[in-house]
Amino acid sequence: MTLGSSAGILVRLSKSLIRSAGVKAFATALVLSPIPLIAMTSEAPSQVGFSVSFGGFYDELAPYGTWHHHARWGDVWRPRRIEADFRPYYRGHWEYTGQYGWLWVSDHIWGDIPFHYGRWVYDPFDGWLWIPGYVWSPAWVVWRSGGGYTGWFPLPPDAGRLSGGRDSY
């Protein structure tokens, strides 16, 4: 692979995948660098041993919302500085991946954690709350379709809600 083709790959990646201005600046500096780029392809290592923790979630999300203890759900997080009509899985888009199927890509800066770990629940007093979970998913939603339309809604924290349990939102 030549320096020119390596640079072309970096430019295409920066346009299609990278949102952060800082990362774009770094990618541009790499492209313009006089140091030759050596392109090597290899399979990405699996995330064996990768773990998530409440402390990690707490630290990452604290700047963007508030944590408190809910009587029913335990420790929950509520985003702040959100639009009045906030609801989970609304601001962003779906991206199809060969490995995972439909993946939710959030427009919220904090969206990587609460839309891929844990569940959302609506509380009439507190609004939408995120309940931490420790298993990754492309999106914790239930899909429904009919009449030519397809829709989704956040998967509730307990299966009883889906099977007609007495609690309701």
Side-chain angles (χ1 to χ4, degrees), residues 94-131:
W94 293 101
E95 200 169 283
Y96 189 77
T97 67
Q99 185 173 6
Y100 302 113
W102 289 104
L103 171 77
W104 179 253
V105 180
S106 175
D107 287 346
H108 297 286
I109 193 168
W110 43 260
D112 288 345
I113 294 173
F115 294 112
H116 298 289
Y117 293 93
R119 309 286 176 86
W120 288 91
V121 65
Y122 185 78
D123 181 271
F125 299 104
D126 293 323
W128 284 102
L129 302 172
W130 177 71
I131 303 166

Side-chain angles (χ1 to χ4, degrees), residues 51-92:
S51 65
V52 294
S53 68
F54 179 79
F57 290 155
Y58 186 93
D59 292 343
E60 290 292 323
L61 295 175
Y64 308 107
T66 56
W67 286 94
H68 70 276
H69 188 81
H70 190 277
R72 179 169 184 184
W73 305 111
D75 291 318
V76 297
W77 177 77
R78 182 173 186 259
R80 66 173 166 253
R81 296 189 192 121
I82 53 174
E83 57 278 355
D85 66 342
F86 172 80
R87 56 195 176 272
Y89 303 99
Y90 181 67
R91 300 273 189 245

Side-chain angles (χ1 to χ4, degrees), residues 25-47:
F26 178 72
T28 302
L30 281 176
V31 169
L32 299 176
S33 172
I35 301 170
L37 297 174
I38 300 171
M40 294 185 286
T41 59
S42 63
E43 188 172 327
S46 63
Q47 293 185 350

Side-chain angles (χ1 to χ4, degrees), residues 1-10 12-13 36-42:
M1 185 170 281
T2 67
L3 176 60
S5 63
S6 295
I9 290 169
L10 280 176
R12 285 193 300 278
L13 282 174
L37 297 174
I38 300 171
M40 294 185 286
T41 59
S42 63

